[in-house]
């Protein structure tokens, strides 16, 4: 256990005032200059406020469990969790700090971050340099190596740009916020996984009183820059770098906004963070944007896709590859290709039956209920054909009090960067019109921020029951590079939808949707 030795650093503060949890509390307040000292004591780093001459402090914070928020150019808020040593006050405590000027404020923030992150006491430094003294729910569920790659991915502007360039996605969020101004006006908003800060800026445009933009990756620094460059909104946005499972906020939120959707809605397991943010930050009956998500599934028939996947393993049929027989691995290669869900945009006419839906209400679902999702399947075939697997897509609802709005990733709708997902079975099923297809889709979460997909489909032809099953890894999809297809010229396609589809192609967001 190593403690880096630092000299005490000291700041003169214009005034401080304690933010009390209830109006009956006597609040500590110093309207004359106060001295703030960072230093280590009792084996961990502390921030003490008191008179310069005094050796004892009026008030002291344990930096391991404290957070600092910028409220204005020269005003900040320091919040500390209720600690073991502070049991009689079983709630967080906060001090509002008034600096002499912006420069002092900046220097103080810098020192705070340094003292907080560089002194290691009970925890160990995480790869990104942040010190953690206790494991959070996120750390318990997710492998450190996966989280590291995930936040590295989102820390890069090119990947945020990819999402921003998905105009169906970003435009629908914008419309949902602006058309439902009433839900944001004068409200405290928390942006869960803020990325570039775009949704925080939308919320501020809609008149939010204050937005707390929480972002765990290095993107938080870019978000600060972007927000600072929009001065008419920046005063009302505070970027907080950290995980929603770990950071503390000075107030409760009236509304949460987030874009936690991955491929098949649940990939990346960020919905769980969204739900945890709800339980930690949202007032009872507060709003959530999005409010509800739905996974839609339907059987499909696609001989081309099936042959393409089956043929990939032909390579392993060679018996004389530089004198080596490759066939011992042929079966494994074949199974490997079928274990990859296919991500692309497909023609909805490939669907063999109307879709069924699984609803996830973000306002009420328990976080644990997202660990395993079980969807019983029952369809009626509309054609005589071969079924090659199950097609999946999702949509989410922004249940605004003025205009409810859906964001859909359905086949045939303007394509998004999520495209659609298809689970292809190695054994197709033969069906006749009107025939029943039954089965089960089970999604089981794993520690690499994704899910194992178990799919079973059955149909009876004559007296013969055909069953086909597959096990796929949502973390390892096959990104099948294809543009939205020519079927978009279908009669029922609205001209504005066509225009949107063309726009996406010309703006060219990448097919890679995952970290
Ligand atoms: C899909 S992106 C959306 C970014 C932005 N809100 C937007 O709409 O463009 C999700 C973001 O959430 C962040 N994130 C994911 N899990 C998080 C967590 N547990 N705590 C904080 N940020 C998280 C990621 O780093 C990423 O930047």
């Amino acid at each position: 256990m190593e403690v880096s030795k630092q000299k005490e650093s000291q700041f003169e503060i214009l005034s401080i005032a304690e933010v009390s949890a209830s109006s009956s509390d006597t609040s500590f307040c110093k309207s004359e200059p106060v001295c703030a000292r960072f230093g280590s004591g009792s084996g961990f780093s502390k921030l003490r406020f008191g008179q310069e001459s005094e050796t004892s402090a009026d008030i002291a914070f344990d930096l391991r469990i404290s957070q600092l928020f910028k409220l204005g150019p020269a005003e900040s808020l320091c919040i500390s969790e209720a600690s073991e040593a502070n049991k009689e006050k079983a709630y967080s405590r906060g001090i509002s700090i008034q600096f002499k000027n912006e420069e002092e404020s900046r220097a103080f923030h810098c020192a705070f971050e340094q003292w907080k992150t560089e002194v290691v006491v009970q925890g160990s430094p995480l790869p990104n340099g942040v010190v953690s003294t206790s494991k959070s729910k996120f750390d318990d569920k997710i492998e450190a190596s996966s989280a590291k790659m995930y936040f590295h991915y989102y820390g890069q502007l090119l990947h945020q740009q990819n999402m921003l360039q998905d105009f169906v996605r970003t435009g629908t969020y914008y419309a949902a916020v602006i058309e439902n101004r009433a839900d944001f006006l004068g409200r405290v908003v928390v942006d869960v996984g803020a990325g570039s800060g775009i949704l925080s800026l939308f919320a501020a445009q809609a008149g939010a009183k204050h937005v707390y933009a929480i972002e765990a990756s290095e993107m938080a620094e870019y978000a600060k820059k972007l927000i600072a460059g929009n001065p008419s909104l920046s005063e009302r946005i505070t970027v907080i770098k950290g995980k929603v499972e770990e950071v503390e906020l000075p107030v409760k939120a009236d509304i949460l906004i987030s874009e936690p959707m991955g491929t098949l809605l649940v990939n990346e397991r960020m919905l769980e963070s969204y739900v945890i943010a709800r339980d930690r930050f949202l007032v009872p009956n507060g709003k959530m944007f999005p409010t509800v998500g739905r996974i839609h599934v339907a059987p499909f028939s696609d001989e081309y896709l099936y042959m393409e996947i089956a043929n990939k393993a032909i390579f392993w049929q060679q018996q004389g590859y530089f004198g080596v027989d490759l066939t011992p691995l042929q079966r494994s290669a074949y199974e490997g290709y079928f274990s990859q869900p296919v991500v692309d945009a497909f023609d909805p006419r490939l669907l063999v039956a109307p879709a069924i839906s699984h609803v996830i209400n973000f306002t009420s679902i328990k976080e644990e209920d997202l660990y395993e999702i079980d969807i019983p399947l029952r369809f009626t075939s509309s054609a005589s054909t071969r079924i090659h697997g199950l097609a999946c897509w999702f949509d989410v609802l922004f249940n605004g009090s003025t205009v409810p709005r859906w964001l859909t990733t359905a086949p045939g709708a303007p394509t998004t960067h999520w495209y659609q997902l298809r689970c292809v079975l190695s054994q197709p099923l033969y069906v006749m019109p009107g025939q029943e297809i039954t089965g089960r889709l089970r999604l089981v979460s794993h520690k690499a921020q994704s899910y194992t997909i178990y799919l079973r489909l059955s149909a009876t032809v004559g007296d013969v029951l055909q069953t086909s099953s597959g096990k796929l890894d949502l973390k390892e999809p096959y990104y099948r590079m294809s543009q939205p297809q020519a079927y978009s010229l279908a009669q029922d396609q609205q001209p504005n939808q066509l225009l949107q589809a063309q726009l996406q192609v010309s703006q060219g967001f990448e097919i890679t949707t995952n970290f």
Side-chain angles (χ1 to χ4, degrees):
M1 191 180 300
E2 202 182 309
V3 178
S4 67
K5 297 269 182 290
Q6 297 190 32
K7 279 200 285 178
E8 215 184 60
S9 37
Q10 197 165 308
F11 289 83
E12 196 181 283
I13 306 288
L14 211 54
S15 65
I16 56 172
E18 186 162 15
V19 184
S20 61
S22 76
S23 52
S24 57
D25 280 359
T26 34
S27 296
F28 174 96
C29 181
K30 287 252 182 225
S31 46
E32 71 269 26
V34 175
C35 183
R37 294 186 192 88
F38 292 97
S40 41
S42 321
F44 54 87
S45 51
K46 278 184 174 172
L47 167 61
R48 301 184 182 83
F49 294 94
Q51 295 308 308
E52 198 164 352
S53 51
E54 289 170 10
T55 44
S56 66
D58 290 324
I59 190 159
F61 283 90
D62 174 351
L63 283 185
R64 295 171 305 173
I65 50 167
S66 302
Q67 311 242 2
L68 187 64
F69 303 99
K70 221 172 173 50
L71 297 183
E75 195 188 347
S76 294
L77 186 64
C78 184
I79 302 278
S80 184
E81 276 176 38
S83 68
E84 277 298 294
N86 191 20
K87 266 192 182 142
E88 77 283 4
K89 281 190 168 193
Y91 44 79
S92 305
R93 72 195 301 212
I95 290 267
S96 84
I97 309 166
Q98 190 65 52
F99 298 100
K100 282 191 289 192
N101 51 43
E102 201 170 346
E103 212 174 304
E104 278 286 296
S105 156
R106 218 174 293 125
F108 184 87
H109 272 257
C110 238
F112 186 95
E113 288 307 320
Q114 252 184 353
W115 277 93
K116 191 173 165 65
T117 58
E118 284 180 13
V119 179
V120 182
V121 183
Q122 284 162 333
S124 54
L126 296 176
N128 63 6
V130 177
V131 172
S132 166
T133 50
S134 61
K135 285 183 97 194
S136 72
K137 197 152 197 187
F138 185 96
D139 300 331
D140 287 339
K141 289 186 310 191
I142 306 299
E143 265 166 21
S145 57
S146 171
K148 188 179 174 189
M149 270 172 66
Y150 178 76
F151 290 121
H152 175 75
Y153 174 94
Y154 278 122
Q156 296 173 57
L157 272 177
L158 78 144
H159 298 303
Q160 298 287 337
Q161 179 182 336
N162 195 42
M163 293 182 286
L164 296 176
Q165 277 184 199
D166 177 348
F167 292 115
V168 176
R169 179 203 89 116
T170 311
T172 306
Y173 267 88
Y174 182 74
V177 172
I178 299 303
E179 289 171 354
N180 291 294
R181 243 171 230 287
D183 295 326
F184 290 86
L185 197 66
R187 309 288 170 153
V188 174
V189 181
V190 170
D191 182 355
V192 179
S196 62
I198 191 73
L199 303 182
S200 299
L201 289 157
F202 290 174
Q205 283 180 20
K209 181 168 134 200
H210 204 87
V211 187
Y212 293 94
I214 307 175
E215 172 57 43
S217 77
E218 291 304 313
M219 190 48 53
E221 301 306 323
Y222 289 107
K224 283 182 195 167
K225 236 178 171 174
L226 182 67
I227 288 162
N230 287 270
S232 61
L233 306 169
S234 60
E235 286 288 288
R236 288 180 287 122
I237 305 175
T238 304
V239 178
I240 299 162
K241 183 162 184 258
K243 297 195 188 88
V244 294
E245 289 82 355
E246 293 165 16
V247 300
E248 295 295 327
L249 292 184
V251 285
K252 287 274 183 193
D254 301 302
I255 176 164
L256 299 188
I257 189 162
S258 185
E259 197 274 75
M261 298 91 76
T263 310
L264 190 55
L265 184 63
V266 293
N267 193 31
E268 303 177 31
R269 298 188 65 181
M270 196 186 154
L271 285 182
E272 292 162 47
S273 300
Y274 189 35
V275 166
I276 289 174
R278 176 199 70 197
D279 295 341
R280 298 195 66 210
F281 307 132
L282 193 62
V283 294
N285 300 318
K287 279 203 165 283
M288 292 176 81
F289 265 46
T291 324
V292 165
R294 297 187 303 184
I295 296 172
H296 305 272
V297 294
F300 71 91
S301 180
D302 190 342
E303 291 293 342
Y304 287 108
L305 175 62
Y306 179 76
M307 289 313 293
E308 183 185 327
I309 294 176
N311 286 343
K312 279 172 187 257
I314 285 179
F315 172 81
W316 299 93
Q317 271 179 8
Q318 298 178 79
Q319 288 174 311
Y321 180 78
F322 295 105
V324 176
D325 180 3
L326 297 182
T327 57
L329 295 183
Q330 193 188 343
R331 184 78 219 160
S332 307
Y334 187 79
E335 284 166 5
Y337 285 120
F338 278 99
S339 75
Q340 288 189 281
V342 177
V343 174
D344 71 351
F346 66 84
D347 187 330
R349 287 173 300 187
L350 297 176
L351 299 176
V352 173
I356 59 172
S357 311
H358 177 81
V359 179
I360 298 177
N361 187 337
F362 304 136
T363 66
S364 57
I365 193 167
K366 288 202 208 91
E367 186 234 341
E368 292 79 11
D369 292 344
L370 291 162
Y371 296 177
E372 193 171 323
I373 296 168
D374 208 346
I375 308 177
L377 306 174
R378 187 173 293 276
F379 307 98
T380 306
S381 171
S382 57
S384 168
T385 188
R386 290 214 309 171
I387 289 176
H388 296 103
L390 195 72
C392 316
W393 62 94
F394 69 86
D395 52 24
V396 293
L397 169 69
F398 302 92
N399 198 14
S401 39
T402 313
V403 185
R405 217 173 226 286
W406 287 95
L407 168 58
T408 181
T409 66
T415 309
T416 69
H417 77 289
W418 289 285
Y419 295 80
Q420 291 98 38
L421 184 103
R422 283 184 287 170
C423 301
V424 185
L425 291 168
S426 58
Q427 189 60 56
L429 302 177
Y430 290 84
V431 290
M432 303 297 285
Q435 192 174 347
E436 192 170 75
I437 304 153
T438 56
R440 187 174 178 200
L441 177 69
R442 205 156 63 89
L443 309 173
V444 181
S445 63
H446 59 62
K447 286 195 147 204
Q449 287 167 285
S450 191
Y451 285 79
T452 306
I453 302 172
Y454 297 92
L455 172 63
R456 182 174 46 77
L457 286 180
S458 300
T460 309
V461 177
D463 290 340
V464 183
L465 171 71
Q466 316 158 78
T467 293
S468 186
S469 320
K471 179 182 169 189
L472 303 96
D473 188 356
L474 186 55
K475 175 95 178 185
E476 302 287 343
Y478 162 36
Y479 292 111
R480 193 172 182 233
M481 303 306 283
S482 67
Q483 297 292 351
Q485 294 160 7
Y487 65 80
S488 59
L489 286 167
Q491 294 262 310
D492 57 355
Q493 190 99 25
Q494 296 300 309
N496 65 335
Q497 285 182 311
L498 267 181
L499 181 69
Q500 271 180 307
Q502 280 156 6
L503 249 176
Q504 285 153 23
V505 175
S506 64
Q507 296 291 337
F509 48 75
E510 303 276 321
I511 194 162
T512 49
T513 61
N514 291 65
F515 56 98

